[in-house]
C-alpha cells in the first residue's frame, strides 16, 4: 500500500517538475535567419585592426590582416567565456580574465584555455563584408 | 499599561515558556568566548542587507537598457540613495568576512561535534547562500566588471560533465550573458535566495537556542557562564553598534562606486579581477587546469560539509588533531592564494 502511494507521489512530482525544468531552460534560437550577418564595408578597416560585433548572440571579431585580407572568429574565450582582445602588436588574441592566448587562426598558444576559438567564414559581396558559419565546421 | 499588555498576550498564548527561556539561557564564558559574537553579528548584517536591499529594489530596473541608469539615479539623484547603496555594498563585504570568521572559529572549536552536526551543515549552506547573494547582486549594476565576472561565474559549472552545460544554460537563460541573465540574477537575488536564507537562518538560530553554545574541549572544565538575557544580549548589541560604526565609517569614507556600463561586444579590460572573497578560486583557476581546479574545490566543499560525520574522534569528545590540521591547511591555502592573486598582475 505504501509503495503504491509512494509511486503515486513520485509520478505527481514528475508531472510538476518536468514542465518546470523545461520552462527554466531557454528555448534554443533558430540559427537559420541570423547565420549570416553584415559587419562592415570594405575599405573602412585599417590593416592590423579588429572590429567586434555580435554574432549568434555571442561576441565575434573581424580582423583585417597586415596583408589586407580578412578573417573572422568567435571572440568568446573557450576557457570561461570572457571576450578576447585583439593584440595588434603581434597578431594574436589575449584574454584578460585568466590570461589565455590564441593565435590569429584561433589555435591556443597559452592556457588555461584548451579549445581553439571557432573560425567563421568571411565573404565579400560588392563592398559589403559578411560573416557566416562555415558549412563544414572548421 | 505594560502589565495589562503582557497580561493580554499571556492569557492568549502562555508566555511562560518564553519567560523561562529568557531566565535560563546562559552563555559559557572562557578564553575563546570572544568568537561567539560573530554569529550574532552575521545575523545583524543580514538584516541590514535585507532592509537596504528592499529599499534599492524600489528604484532598480532589471533590464540592460535601464539597469546601469537606475543605479546611477539612486547614487546621484535619490535622497540618501548613495548611503543606502553604499551600506548594501559594504554590508555585503562585511557579511562575507564575518560569516567566514564565524565558520572557521566554530570549525577550530569543533563546535560541529555531536549534537550540532545539522547546525554545521546549515551554516555551510548559509555561507553558500551569502556567496550566491554576492554573485547574483554583482551583475545588477550592469557594469563591464560585473558582466565579465558573471560570464566566468556562469561558465564555470559547464566544466562539470553531464549536468554542467545544463546548469550554465539555466543560469544564463540564453546563448550568452544578456537580458535573460539579468532577470534571472535579479529574481534569484531578491526572491529565491532571500526565501531560502530566511528559512535556513531560522532553523540555524532555532537549533542554536535548543543546544546553546558549545564549549570547546580544551575549555570543558570551565563552568563560568553569563546570563543571555540581558547580559549577553547587551554585549551582542554593543558588538552590533561597533560593527555598524565601522561599516558607516567605510560607507562615508569610501562610498560604493559605479563602473562604466557594459558594452557587450568589447573585450574584457586588462587587469580584471573578482572581489576579494573569490580571489582564491580565481587564482586556482589561473594556475591549474580547470577540471582539476573545480574538481578539487568541489570535493573540498563536500568534505567540509560533512566534516562532523568524518571527525569521529571529536564526536566522542576526543582531540582530533588531524581535522585541526586539515582546517588550518584549507585556511592557509585560501589566504596564500588570495595574497598571490593580489601580488601577480
Ligand atoms: C545576504 C544578503 C545580501 C547580500 C550579501 C547582497 C549583496 C549584494 C551585492 C554585492 C550587490 C552589488 C552591489 C553593487 O556593486 O552595486 C547587490 C545589489 C543589489 N541588491 Fe543585494 N544583497 C543581499 C540581499 C538583498 C535583498 C534581500 C534584496 C532585495 C529584496 C537585495 C536587492 C539588491 C538590489 C536591488 C541590488 C542592485 C542595486 C545596486 O547594485 O546597488 N539584496 N546586493
Ligand atoms: S575566460 Fe579567458 S582565460 Fe579564462
Amino acid at each position: 500500500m505504501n509503495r503504491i502511494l509512494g509511486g503515486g507521489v513520485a509520478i505527481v512530482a514528475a508531472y510538476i517538475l518536468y514542465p518546470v525544468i523545461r520552462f527554466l531552460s531557454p528555448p534554443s534560437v533558430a540559427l537559420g535567419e541570423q547565420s549570416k550577418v553584415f559587419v562592415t564595408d570594405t575599405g573602412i578597416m585599417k590593416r592590423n585592426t579588429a572590429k567586434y560585433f555580435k554574432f549568434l548572440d555571442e561576441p565575434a571579431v573581424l580582423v583585417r590582416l597586415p596583408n589586407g585580407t580578412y578573417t573572422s572568429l568567435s571572440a568568446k574565450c573557450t576557457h570561461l567565456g570572457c571576450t578576447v582582445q585583439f593584440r595588434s602588436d603581434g597578431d594574436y588574441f589575449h584574454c584578460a580574465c585568466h590570461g589565455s592566448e590564441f593565435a590569429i587562426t584561433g589555435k591556443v598558444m597559452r592556457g588555461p584555455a584548451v579549445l581553439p576559438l571557432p573560425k567563421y567564414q568571411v565573404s565579400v559581396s560588392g563592398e559589403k563584408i559578411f560573416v557566416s558559419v562555415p558549412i563544414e565546421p572548421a | 499599561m505594560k502589565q495589562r499588555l503582557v497580561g493580554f498576550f499571556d492569557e492568549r498564548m502562555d508566555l511562560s515558556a518564553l519567560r523561562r527561556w529568557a531566565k535560563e539561557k546562559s552563555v559559557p564564558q572562557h578564553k575563546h568566548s570572544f568568537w561567539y559574537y560573530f554569529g550574532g553579528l552575521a545575523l545583524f548584517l543580514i538584516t541590514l542587507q535585507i532592509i537596504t536591499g528592499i529599499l534599492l529594489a524600489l528604484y532598480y530596473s532589471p533590464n540592460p537598457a535601464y539597469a546601469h541608469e537606475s543605479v546611477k539615479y539612486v547614487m546621484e539623484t535619490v535622497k540618501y540613495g548613495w548611503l543606502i547603496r553604499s551600506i548594501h555594498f559594504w554590508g555585503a563585504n562585511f557579511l562575507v568576512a564575518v560569516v567566514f570568521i564565524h565558520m572557521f572559529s566554530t570549525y577550530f572549536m569543533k563546535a560541529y561535534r555531536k549534537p550540532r552536526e545539522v547546525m554545521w551543515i546549515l551554516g555551510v549552506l548559509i555561507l553558500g547562500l551569502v556567496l550566491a547573494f554576492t554573485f547574483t547582486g554583482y551583475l545588477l549594476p550592469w557594469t563591464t566588471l560585473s558582466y565579465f565576472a558573471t560570464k566566468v561565474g556562469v561558465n564555470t559549472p559547464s566544466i562539470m560533465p553531464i549536468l554542467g552545460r545544463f546548469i550554465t544554460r539555466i543560469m544564463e537563460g540564453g546563448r550568452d550573458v544578456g537580458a535573460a541573465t539579468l532577470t534571472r540574477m535579479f529574481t534569484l537575488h531578491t526572491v529565491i535566495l532571500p526565501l531560502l536564507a530566511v528559512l535556513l537562518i531560522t532553523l540555524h538560530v532555532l537549533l542554536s537556542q535548543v543546544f546553546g553554545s558549545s564549549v570547546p574541549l580544551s575549555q570543558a572544565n570551565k563552568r563560568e557562564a553569563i546570563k543571555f538575557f540581558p547580559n549577553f544580549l547587551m554585549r551582542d548589541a554593543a558588538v552590533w553598534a561597533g560593527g555598524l560604526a565601522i561599516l558607516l565609517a567605510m560607507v562615508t569614507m569610501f562610498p560604493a562606486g559605479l563602473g562604466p556600463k557594459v558594452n557587450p561586444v568589447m573585450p574584457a579590460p586588462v587587469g580584471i579581477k573578482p572581489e576579494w572573497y573569490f580571489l582564491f578560486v580565481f587564482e586556482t583557476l589561473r594556475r591549474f587546469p580547470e577540471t582539476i581546479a573545480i574538481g578539487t574545490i568541489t570535493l573540498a566543499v563536500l568534505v567540509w560539509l560533512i566534516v562532523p560525520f568524518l571527525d569521529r574522534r571529536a564526536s566522542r569528545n576526543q582531540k582530533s588533531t588531524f581535522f585541526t590540521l586539515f582546517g588550518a591547511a584549507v585556511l592557509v591555502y585560501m589566504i596564500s592564494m588570495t595574497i598571490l592573486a593580489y601580488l601577480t598582475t
Side-chain angles (χ1 to χ4, degrees), chain A residues 28-115:
Chain A
S28 41
V29 266
L31 292 182
E33 279 171 43
Q34 36 163 277
S35 61
K36 187 168 186 177
V37 292
F38 163 70
V39 182
T40 185
D41 288 320
T42 54
I44 291 182
M45 283 173 71
K46 292 206 182 72
R47 286 168 193 230
N48 213 12
T49 59
K51 183 176 163 58
Y52 289 86
F53 58 98
K54 244 199 151 103
F55 183 46
L56 308 175
D57 270 348
E58 291 181 350
V61 61
L62 178 72
V63 177
R64 180 142 194 228
L65 300 170
N67 67 12
T69 58
Y70 294 89
T71 182
S72 177
L73 302 98
S74 160
K76 184 173 177 176
C77 181
T78 56
H79 179 227
L80 293 172
C82 286
T83 310
V84 298
Q85 181 151 38
F86 174 69
R87 286 293 178 86
S88 53
D89 52 337
D91 277 5
Y92 66 101
F93 299 99
H94 173 81
C95 179
C97 286
H98 313 96
S100 290
E101 281 170 9
F102 302 88
I104 200 75
T105 55
K107 216 180 93 198
V108 179
M109 299 192 327
R110 209 179 102 185
V114 181
L115 297 174

Side-chain angles (χ1 to χ4, degrees), chain B residues 55-243:
Chain B
L55 292 175
L56 288 174
L58 298 180
Y59 286 101
Y60 181 75
S61 167
N63 177 318
Y66 306 114
H68 190 264
E69 285 75 359
S70 72
V71 175
K72 200 170 150 104
Y73 182 70
V74 166
M75 290 303 281
E76 291 174 359
T77 311
V78 178
K79 298 231 161 57
Y80 293 107
W82 67 272
L83 179 69
I84 302 297
R85 173 157 179 265
S86 300
I87 294 179
H88 197 74
F89 172 84
W90 276 108
N93 282 280
F94 275 46
L95 180 62
V96 173
V98 166
V99 175
F100 264 115
I101 294 173
H102 180 53
M103 181 176 76
F104 275 105
S105 66
T106 52
Y107 181 92
F108 288 118
M109 292 196 280
K110 308 285 164 71
Y112 53 72
R113 65 190 195 275
K114 202 178 160 195
R116 297 185 181 76
E117 297 97 330
V118 177
M119 279 188 75
W120 169 263
I121 292 177
L122 285 168
V124 176
L125 294 179
I126 291 168
L127 171 66
L129 281 181
V130 168
L131 293 177
F133 262 116
T134 63
F135 175 70
T136 52
Y138 204 65
L139 179 67
L140 304 185
W142 204 244
T143 61
T144 308
L145 197 59
S146 71
Y147 177 77
F148 285 113
T150 306
K151 275 208 158 186
V152 171
V154 299
N155 276 304
T156 305
S158 70
I159 295 163
M160 225 166 56
I162 310 166
L163 266 183
R165 291 266 0 132
F166 177 72
I167 295 175
T168 296
R169 286 274 292 175
I170 285 201
M171 289 207 286
E172 277 183 338
R175 266 180 65 81
D176 202 1
V177 172
T181 323
L182 187 55
T183 52
R184 280 173 193 230
M185 293 300 157
F186 179 70
T187 309
L188 276 166
H189 193 80
T190 58
V191 182
I192 301 170
L193 293 175
L195 285 174
L196 284 175
V198 168
L199 180 73
L200 297 193
I201 292 168
T202 307
L203 286 173
H204 187 78
V205 172
L206 271 181
L207 285 179
S208 80
Q209 297 313 311
V210 172
F211 297 129
S213 307
S214 108
V215 178
L217 289 174
S218 67
Q219 309 294 314
N221 50 354
K222 308 261 173 19
R223 284 275 161 264
E224 277 164 58
I226 60 170
K227 279 183 136 2
F228 177 77
F229 191 84
N231 305 38
F232 191 79
L233 191 61
M234 286 303 208
R235 295 186 188 191
D236 251 343
V239 170
W240 297 351

